[in-house]
Amino acid sequence: VSTHSGEFERIASLSRIYAGTHGAVMLGIGDDCAVLAGSASARVWTVDTAVAGVHFDLAFMPLHDVGYRAFMAAASDVAAMGARAEAALSSLIVPPDLDDAALYALAEGIAAAAREVGASVAGGNLARGRELSITTTVLGVADGRVVTRAGARPGDGVFVTGVLGAAALGLVALRAGADVAEALEPSRARAVRHFLAPSARFDRSGLVSRSASAAIDVSDGLVQDLGHLAAASGVGITVELARVPRVDEHAALALALGSDPVALLLSGGEDYELAFTAPRDAVPNALATCIGIVKAGAGVVVVDEAGERIDVGAGHDHFVR
Amino acid sequence: VSTHSGEFERIASLSRIYAGTHGAVMLGIGDDCAVLAGSASARVWTVDTAVAGVHFDLAFMPLHDVGYRAFMAAASDVAAMGARAEAALSSLIVPPDLDDAALYALAEGIAAAAREVGASVAGGNLARGRELSITTTVLGVADGRVVTRAGARPGDGVFVTGVLGAAALGLVALRAGADVAEALEPSRARAVRHFLAPSARFDRSGLVSRSASAAIDVSDGLVQDLGHLAAASGVGITVELARVPRVDEHAALALALGSDPVALLLSGGEDYELAFTAPRDAVPNALATCIGIVKAGAGVVVVDEAGERIDVGAGHDHFVR
């Protein structure tokens, strides 16, 4: 039995793998184009690429998780507009040494992420190359208002969903490889899970599209991404370090692994949480954490509990950027 | 002056390059997603990837043309549905040695092709990698009926637009490099142009969406692509070699370059013409050439003027497939 099928056979297999995903697709894999059902709502779409050795490392990441993360990274951009993901195209460049089992593990991860967000993988492309890469195009639909990066107003609160720094800590732990003290093992497993299987934060409650003045997803690190939002909105942002949501046990693990917990929190990327601005009384605590305030001016400043400014390094480096 | 800008600077430059493209985009480059205007029509979208050394060779192809062709190859899939291209996302993997001038030449080619088909480059992605690749996602809209590969009926005529084999001959000429006899030079220039600057065949007359029972674009070679159409439709197709439209002067050039003119005609790819089936009296000669007939059965047969079956080799190999 050959472990390298022909192109059409591989596409047929991918088509079966993607068949379990769902969305508003009238015609999917197997023709020149996928056909989407018409809609009067605003459509949003994005594309994101993950390259082996740059955005992921097969030495310590299973291919299923590589596919899952690559899809979520693209879907997260749709979430950051206050929209929901509807359909996706997945374009792969596949090196000769990647066999069928590896390819299908990758595709299963992509399909799992698509199902998780309720989107359909409507088509894609397979090309040969020397370097594995996954390019995901996601089309989303905004039932309400589309929320951009440009709309934050002085006086708005700054909010984030979930916890930050966990994915970057998981990457540090995976890279370190070695076992950690037994007491730290649950924290390690949780951080690794954050890194390998992030969830794009779709606005199921409608909070973001109803209340947010501006939004972005945390992919490059909190301070860097808030910097993009501040620049697009023409405002400044002050973040209070103590308010930034985190997993308490992660600080001990970070120190044990030789990493700075504060740097992970402020500059660690790939959490795929949402950061957004909104009137301060518009956001229930259960849905997001208020971490700071929008001010007139420019740039992002982080302050400690005494109000002293904290020096923040550069943004998250993904892999080898 | 550095020839390698930072990522954000490069994106800003690409955004300016793409600003001259047009389409139904409410929000383009600079946020997490592009936003498309709502519509009640069917949307079609596709993705296609071109990889250096596989689909193009920088040794004899200018980067502008590489971008132009990569875009047209994707747009052609939209044309093959009887739809028009509306907007595109362009995702590039860029190796460290590709400098700004090269990147912008590539992007200018992409933008030129987008303008040519009336589409907007609404966004994209830049990733680092070792191998240059261009992944183009095109979203199209079908004002009329969407035409798939599955709909050909026995008795339908088989039609193609333009001429075939010209792009493959242009590639042969570029690879050969050497000068040809002066008398062949105009043919050579014309064939090279066909290869470097193909045009996706959008259905401006509405003929395809009105009359075609099935359609596909000729990217892998006439016989191979008609084979996909026949398989999807559950029919057989007979093509008369003498009717396949060609540039008469190309036969002499092909022979001078050591290539088989018939093989180029039947198996040469990347012409990006449309092949479609339709009732035989529904297609004016000025718009497309009737080259054969749909029959009950399966597969594609090519016959000579005596009705004898001609042996046809494999499809076009793009570059090194």
Side-chain angles (χ1 to χ4, degrees), chain A:
Chain A
V1 176
S2 167
T3 57
H4 283 79
S5 306
E7 184 189 348
F8 296 143
E9 213 173 318
R10 283 185 160 193
I11 290 172
S13 294
L14 294 181
S15 175
R16 283 190 292 273
I17 288 171
Y18 294 146
T21 64
H22 292 289
V25 175
M26 291 161 59
L27 176 66
I29 294 169
D31 219 295
D32 294 298
C33 284
V35 180
L36 304 180
S39 164
S41 308
R43 299 294 178 93
V44 304
W45 61 332
T46 186
V47 63
D48 193 59
T49 297
V51 181
V54 179
H55 305 94
F56 60 88
D57 190 334
L58 295 178
F60 55 77
M61 294 172 64
L63 274 159
H64 182 281
D65 295 338
V66 166
Y68 193 94
R69 289 178 76 251
F71 189 96
M72 278 297 178
S76 178
D77 283 331
V78 170
M81 310 296 284
R84 57 188 165 79
E86 195 175 61
L89 300 177
S90 178
S91 192
L92 307 176
I93 299 177
V94 178
D97 63 349
L98 193 90
D99 68 15
D100 289 358
L103 177 64
Y104 303 150
L106 180 69
E108 294 281 6
I110 292 169
R115 280 189 297 266
E116 172 71 23
V117 306
S120 170
V121 179
N125 189 255
L126 263 188
R128 283 167 317 114
R130 286 178 291 128
E131 187 171 71
L132 177 65
S133 70
I134 303 129
T135 296
T136 312
T137 305
V138 183
L139 188 67
V141 63
D143 296 319
R145 195 169 51 93
V146 169
V147 182
T148 72
R149 297 177 182 181
R153 289 169 299 239
D156 282 350
V158 179
F159 299 85
V160 294
T161 59
V163 294
L164 295 182
L169 178 60
L171 173 56
V172 168
L174 282 171
R175 275 179 168 159
D179 291 340
V180 294
E182 202 177 313
L184 295 175
E185 192 46 53
S187 298
R188 182 189 191 279
R190 189 170 169 186
V192 165
R193 212 63 218 139
H194 266 280
F195 175 71
L196 290 180
S199 275
R201 291 294 180 173
F202 286 95
D203 182 29
R204 296 203 166 84
S205 66
L207 172 73
V208 170
S209 71
R210 205 169 49 239
S211 305
S213 51
I216 193 168
D217 64 319
V218 182
S219 54
D220 292 334
L222 177 67
V223 170
Q224 187 167 321
D225 289 319
L226 285 180
H228 296 316
L229 186 152
S233 295
V235 297
I237 284 176
T238 299
V239 170
E240 293 179 51
L241 175 60
R243 291 176 172 237
V244 178
R246 69 202 79 186
V247 177
D248 286 335
E249 294 79 18
H250 280 176
L253 175 62
L255 292 170
L257 292 167
S259 276
D260 175 359
V262 173
L264 291 175
L265 207 56
L266 298 178
S267 305
E270 307 187 6
D271 283 311
Y272 303 116
E273 298 294 344
L274 292 187
F276 61 96
T277 57
R280 274 180 289 177
D281 55 2
V283 181
N285 286 339
L287 293 178
T289 306
C290 184
I291 62 168
I293 191 162
V294 177
K295 298 182 171 176
V300 177
V301 170
V302 181
V303 297
D304 64 17
E305 285 170 274
E308 294 293 320
R309 185 169 170 169
I310 294 168
D311 187 41
V312 179
H316 181 59
D317 260 0
H318 294 281
F319 266 83
V320 295
R321 183 179 294 169

Side-chain angles (χ1 to χ4, degrees), chain B residues 158-241:
Chain B
V158 178
F159 299 85
V160 294
T161 60
V163 294
L164 295 182
L169 179 59
L171 173 57
V172 168
L174 281 171
R175 276 179 167 160
D179 292 340
V180 294
E182 202 177 314
L184 295 175
E185 192 45 54
S187 298
R188 182 188 191 282
R190 189 169 168 186
V192 165
R193 210 67 217 136
H194 267 278
F195 176 70
L196 291 180
S199 275
R201 292 293 180 173
F202 285 95
D203 182 28
R204 296 203 167 85
S205 67
L207 171 73
V208 171
S209 71
R210 205 169 49 240
S211 305
S213 50
I216 194 168
D217 64 319
V218 183
S219 54
D220 292 335
L222 177 66
V223 171
Q224 187 167 322
D225 289 319
L226 285 180
H228 296 315
L229 187 152
S233 295
V235 297
I237 284 176
T238 299
V239 170
E240 294 179 50
L241 174 61

